[in-house]
Amino acid sequence: MSLTTSSRKQGENQPDDGASAAKPPRIKIGKSSEESDKKGAHRRVKDVEICVPIVYGTIAFYLGRKASESQSHKWTVYVRGATNEDLGVVIKRVVFQLHPSFNNPTRVVESPPFELSECGWGEFEIGISLFFHNDICDKQLDLFHHLKLYPEDESGPQTTKKPVVVESYNEIVYPDPSENFLARVQNHPAVIVPRMPAGFNLPYPVSIESVNEREKGDTKDHPLSQWFMNFSEADELLKLAAARQQVQAHIVKLRRQLSVMDGPPPLLKQPTGYDYT
Amino acid sequence: MDAKDILGLPKNSITQEKKSRPQKDSQRKPDGISREVYALTGGFPPLIPAIEASQLKKRPPSDEKITWQWLPFTNSARKDNLHLYHWVRIVNGVPPTGDYSFAKYNKSVDIVKYTDEEYEKYLTDPMWTKEETDQLFELCQSFDLRFIVIADRFPSSRTVEELKDRYYSVARAMLAARAPSPGDISGHPLVKEPYNVSQETERKRALSMVLSQTKQQERKDAEVLAEAKRITESRMVARGAEESELPVPSNAGPESAERAAIPSDTVSPSANVQHPSAAVAPSTITVDNASILASLRMLRVYLRTYALDQMVQAASSSAGLRTIKRVEQTLQELGVNLKPRVPTKAVCAEHLELRREILTLLNLQKQEAEGSSYRDGSYGDTPGTPKHLSHGGDQDRIFVPDMNFAGERIGKRDQKRKAPGRLSEAPLPAHKRPRKLKAADL
């Protein structure tokens, strides 16, 4: 632990130097917070789960008159925030793995919006690998999406106006986030962070170096945003609640019937309220 | 005949069999060779005839004149110019030419040869005298590198490994010395895979140990290995279950190192192992959940759908395939997606709970079926087949009429507009009880 003691000394001296030294505005990792930064990188926050809802999928347009044998559709594969917020806060880069018949089938997108457009004629499975920033996780997360070019109903000729859109909703969960990570994303709109217990102190948010070629990382005004699907959990929750009610009613009825037939029924385990910590 | 009558045996059958058998045998006599010779080969026709029976009779090619002569010959493989005699097959008066046909088999290994100067320069070794090395090489030459034999005949007692080591290091040194550049010989097996004395001795020792194991020892070893495997597996589960209570270590490094250390740990049963191995067997729902949760926490990042799949698997682990299919069927009847379309935390939790409740319901139905069929034997139902309930046959189907109106709306998968307004009105009139369950309850 000599490392921390030496950096503490540095921290004590630094404030004077820090003011005089000219630092580039983007890199805010000030030396004065280096010590807490180092600790913050290692200290993980238990019982707090950071959740990033994402939507990933493809939008494919038929090229109509401009279509050729080998390039009949223009499609875009992307990963966006479910509410169209900037995912660059957690995702460092996305690697799209295309069909080997494409030139350079491994396409890397280094900055948000994480998307890739191509022309082609065939449907195949696209591999999407998400890489997160260094203070979050070293592991990558792999998703797979089947590129759909042709619409469900094959009636009539293809139209260039209406694309074939397939999107999937999912959520990235970080179970024990590091303090730094938590501090950094606490108030970001793309990230869902549960309410922290009162009096919980987080280190000063340290922003990461990010190469943002395009200033805007969110997809709110994306050209394709008119085709984005809406994912509302309300629908599903309603359905599920209704279904549960039905099942519970039947269970009660059966139990009553059984008790009439057999006497007191064996005590069945009540489904415990599920806790997702 | 009378004896047969007394015994009550059928009159003609046996005699008929006896008569037919010798006929069959003689029928099977092969032509081309006599029966006794045929019997020597096993008495039955071979699966694949090696030699055509017809070939055995006609052999002499009619146009050639064959004689045999007693002629001398020499063997080029011999160095002493020995003349021996043997029978030679002469075809049409022309004796065969060429070397003795077995001379080509006289192969020997190319043993490295060194001169005295070369020995002084490259090959001196504290453990070996020049004499011994020379002796070794002579033996290698005469016995074609059969080290076992060489070791037996070696004047001073040296192990096979020592002899091999000396020979191969000499060979390698000579190769290196004679090669114009080191790159030339880098591909040579002597250089690429040098003889490793210690490894070889160890390997042979281990091999002899394994070979000399008694049957009992073998059984014990197998038992110990199986036990170790079981312990490490239950340890992983125990670790997962315990992890949720113990304070999580702060560094990522030690965590991964610990987990790596666990599988390598062999037979060391510790106190904690006893508890989980007893707890795992009855496998209550909470233990499964806790272990899944703990294992999820070990991951730095995961997808919600992955977590849900794990939980669903854990919940259905106690159920058979048929039951799982029934759960899925029930979900479909209820109009619920088997995999939630919008898997948020709340939705996944509800989904899981719904699955559990359906399992409970199915179990109850099974119980009822068993109870009723036991009681009402007149229905003719086989007990334990919950699918064909006599009076409960409609229970599975009950869901359909209730949920139909909602079911068709749910069918749309990629609706762009939100439709909570529509659905929220619909369920209310159909259900008699007010909706008391909310997602926020969790």
Side-chain angles (χ1 to χ4, degrees):
Chain A
M1 282 289 138
S2 58
L3 190 61
T4 30
T5 51
S6 63
S7 56
R8 197 178 282 136
K9 282 195 192 145
Q10 259 192 328
E12 281 166 18
N13 294 334
Q14 269 310 320
D16 302 320
D17 299 336
S20 54
K23 287 203 182 73
R26 230 190 263 155
I27 307 170
K28 285 190 199 150
I29 304 179
K31 290 248 175 91
S32 53
S33 55
E34 188 177 307
E35 174 224 323
S36 60
D37 176 22
K38 276 210 170 70
K39 268 201 192 158
H42 295 299
R43 244 207 309 263
R44 307 202 84 86
V45 185
K46 252 185 58 166
D47 300 332
V48 172
E49 187 180 88
I50 289 184
C51 165
V52 180
I54 57 166
V55 173
Y56 61 96
T58 51
I59 296 182
F61 284 91
Y62 178 58
L63 288 175
R65 281 186 305 134
K66 300 188 200 146
S68 65
E69 274 291 316
S70 59
Q71 313 230 308
S72 58
H73 290 75
K74 179 171 182 340
W75 50 267
T76 310
V77 61
Y78 55 86
V79 182
R80 64 174 173 93
T83 47
N84 290 319
E85 297 290 346
D86 183 5
L87 286 180
V89 65
V90 287
I91 298 183
K92 183 162 71 174
R93 83 178 97 96
V94 177
V95 176
F96 295 99
Q97 187 68 35
L98 305 179
H99 192 266
S101 59
F102 279 91
N103 225 351
N104 298 326
T106 310
R107 307 282 174 92
V108 183
V109 182
E110 297 279 0
S111 65
F114 299 105
E115 64 181 38
L116 175 72
S117 296
E118 258 291 352
C119 292
W121 58 269
E123 302 184 338
F124 58 92
E125 191 175 70
I126 306 177
I128 307 173
S129 301
L130 309 175
F131 292 84
F132 307 104
H133 289 295
N134 300 330
D135 63 344
I136 301 178
C137 177
D138 295 329
K139 266 192 352 180
Q140 69 193 69
L141 207 54
D142 296 318
L143 305 164
F144 295 94
H145 179 86
H146 181 81
L147 169 66
K148 196 154 141 51
L149 299 176
Y150 302 96
E152 285 285 348
D153 59 342
E154 294 170 20
S155 58
Q158 293 178 69
T159 163
T160 55
K161 300 206 181 66
K162 199 155 171 268
V164 175
V165 181
V166 184
E167 284 190 331
S168 308
Y169 175 97
N170 214 321
E171 297 187 338
I172 310 176
V173 183
Y174 305 95
D176 283 330
S178 69
E179 283 191 351
N180 278 359
F181 175 36
L182 190 53
R184 186 159 63 78
V185 302
Q186 214 176 356
N187 295 314
H188 196 282
V191 180
I192 299 178
V193 176
R195 221 165 358 127
M196 230 74 76
F200 194 88
N201 287 324
L202 281 174
Y204 186 78
V206 166
S207 70
I208 31 140
E209 265 198 61
S210 55
V211 181
N212 232 338
E213 300 162 358
R214 321 163 224 197
E215 278 305 319
K216 232 163 74 80
D218 66 59
T219 46
K220 289 197 185 130
D221 298 320
H222 196 274
L224 294 171
S225 60
Q226 58 172 305
W227 307 112
F228 289 165
M229 289 160 71
N230 265 324
F231 291 91
S232 130
E233 65 170 355
D235 291 355
E236 205 124 20
L237 280 176
L238 277 173
K239 266 189 287 173
L240 284 170
R244 279 189 74 183
Q245 246 212 319
Q246 284 215 320
V247 173
Q248 279 162 4
H250 280 291
I251 290 178
V252 166
K253 197 164 72 172
L254 265 183
R255 286 215 175 111
R256 235 182 281 137
Q257 283 182 341
L258 279 173
S259 69
V260 164
M261 287 197 295
D262 301 321
L267 195 64
L268 283 165
K269 226 178 189 147
Q270 296 293 326
T272 54
Y274 183 63
D275 190 11
Y276 240 120
T277 47
Chain B
M1 248 57 86
D2 298 325
K4 285 205 186 80
D5 276 339
I6 293 168
L7 287 171
L9 288 171
K11 273 204 179 160
N12 292 321
S13 61
I14 296 179
T15 47
Q16 271 178 2
E17 281 173 28
K18 276 199 182 147
K19 271 189 195 159
S20 60
R21 271 232 209 97
Q23 274 180 19
K24 266 175 92 181
D25 270 344
S26 52
Q27 272 172 14
R28 273 198 277 138
K29 189 189 87 151
D31 36 21
I33 51 175
S34 68
R35 210 181 326 142
E36 284 78 21
V37 175
Y38 191 61
L40 282 177
T41 65
F44 296 109
L47 295 168
I48 307 167
I51 303 171
E52 286 292 305
S54 47
Q55 271 187 15
L56 293 168
K57 272 268 168 146
K58 54 166 165 101
R59 245 339 178 112
S62 38
D63 47 346
E64 290 179 336
K65 196 156 148 246
I66 307 286
T67 52
W68 287 85
Q69 272 188 19
W70 182 251
L71 293 176
F73 71 96
T74 52
N75 185 349
S76 61
R78 293 189 72 97
K79 297 185 195 69
D80 49 6
N81 211 8
L82 175 68
H83 289 264
L84 292 174
Y85 289 80
H86 65 186
W87 284 108
V88 177
R89 184 170 180 267
I90 308 280
V91 183
N92 290 340
V94 180
T97 51
D99 196 7
Y100 183 52
S101 59
F102 296 102
K104 62 180 183 280
Y105 298 115
N106 186 35
K107 299 272 189 216
S108 64
V109 185
D110 293 325
I111 305 287
V112 170
K113 299 262 180 0
Y114 51 82
T115 62
D116 289 344
E117 303 107 45
E118 283 175 323
Y119 187 88
E120 296 302 312
K121 266 210 312 196
Y122 309 108
L123 307 172
T124 49
D125 187 295
M127 304 276 288
W128 286 79
T129 65
K130 184 165 191 308
E131 261 179 12
E132 280 200 299
T133 316
D134 288 343
Q135 277 175 333
L136 170 62
F137 271 74
E138 261 182 51
L139 286 172
C140 285
Q141 175 69 49
S142 57
F143 289 115
D144 289 334
L145 287 187
R146 295 192 173 89
F147 283 102
I148 309 287
V149 181
I150 294 169
D152 276 345
R153 294 188 192 225
F154 204 70
S156 48
S157 67
R158 292 263 191 182
T159 64
V160 176
E161 288 78 33
E162 283 178 29
L163 297 172
K164 277 192 181 177
D165 186 35
R166 180 62 178 151
Y167 174 78
Y168 288 125
S169 31
V170 165
R172 195 170 44 250
M174 290 313 304
L175 199 62
R178 289 173 187 164
S181 82
D184 289 344
I185 54 162
S186 57
H188 197 280
L190 270 177
V191 174
K192 256 182 26 175
E193 288 145 36
Y195 185 72
N196 188 340
V197 191
S198 44
Q199 196 184 42
E200 284 294 298
T201 25
E202 198 47 47
R203 177 182 71 86
K204 287 189 181 166
R205 193 184 64 81
L207 189 62
S208 64
M209 260 180 44
V210 169
L211 286 173
S212 57
Q213 260 186 347
T214 61
K215 228 178 191 173
Q216 209 185 27
Q217 271 181 311
E218 223 179 275
R219 259 187 282 125
K220 273 197 187 159
D221 273 350
E223 276 176 40
V224 165
L225 282 171
E227 185 67 38
K229 197 171 168 208
R230 259 189 286 127
I231 288 176
T232 50
E233 278 174 17
S234 59
R235 255 205 183 168
M236 299 283 275
V237 175
R239 257 189 190 273
E242 283 179 9
E243 205 76 61
S244 47
E245 297 152 21
L246 292 171
V248 179
S250 50
N251 258 351
E255 262 184 55
S256 53
E258 266 178 54
R259 295 200 78 202
I262 294 171
S264 58
D265 227 355
T266 45
V267 192
S268 48
S270 54
N272 353 338
V273 175
Q274 304 303 325
H275 290 288
S277 52
V280 162
S283 112
T284 56
I285 298 178
T286 43
V287 167
D288 267 341
N289 251 355
S291 62
I292 298 282
L293 276 180
S295 70
L296 282 174
R297 282 250 297 274
M298 295 292 236
L299 307 169
R300 281 279 174 263
V301 59
Y302 58 86
L303 282 171
R304 187 75 72 193
T305 46
Y306 170 78
L308 180 62
D309 285 341
Q310 296 281 21
M311 306 276 187
V312 165
Q313 249 186 22
S316 348
S317 59
S318 54
L321 190 59
R322 220 199 211 177
T323 324
I324 297 174
K325 287 260 184 301
R326 293 189 70 202
V327 169
E328 293 183 350
Q329 191 189 7
T330 318
L331 281 171
Q332 280 175 333
E333 285 165 13
L334 287 164
V336 171
N337 299 324
L338 286 179
K339 292 201 178 221
R341 189 170 156 260
V342 188
T344 63
K345 184 164 166 167
V347 167
C348 290
E350 284 282 308
H351 188 96
L352 199 61
E353 278 310 305
L354 178 60
R355 274 188 186 248
R356 290 210 182 106
E357 282 168 7
I358 293 176
L359 264 175
T360 315
L361 179 61
L362 291 177
N363 282 335
L364 277 178
Q365 285 179 343
K366 194 159 52 157
Q367 267 189 13
E368 201 207 1
E370 285 169 4
S372 72
S373 53
Y374 173 72
R375 203 164 286 108
D376 315 319
S378 58
Y379 278 90
D381 281 330
T382 53
T385 51
K387 273 203 167 177
H388 311 288
L389 298 178
S390 52
H391 57 86
D394 292 330
Q395 278 181 356
D396 274 0
R397 301 283 154 232
I398 275 177
F399 294 130
V400 173
D402 273 15
M403 289 303 286
N404 231 348
F405 64 92
E408 39 192 36
R409 279 184 222 185
I410 288 159
K412 281 197 193 143
R413 286 204 148 257
D414 42 3
Q415 51 184 357
K416 291 176 198 165
R417 287 172 286 123
K418 285 190 195 183
R422 277 193 287 157
L423 276 178
S424 60
E425 301 159 18
L428 282 174
H431 292 279
K432 290 164 193 160
R433 276 198 216 132
R435 267 182 47 240
K436 50 185 179 176
L437 213 84
K438 284 208 180 128
D441 280 0
L442 291 167

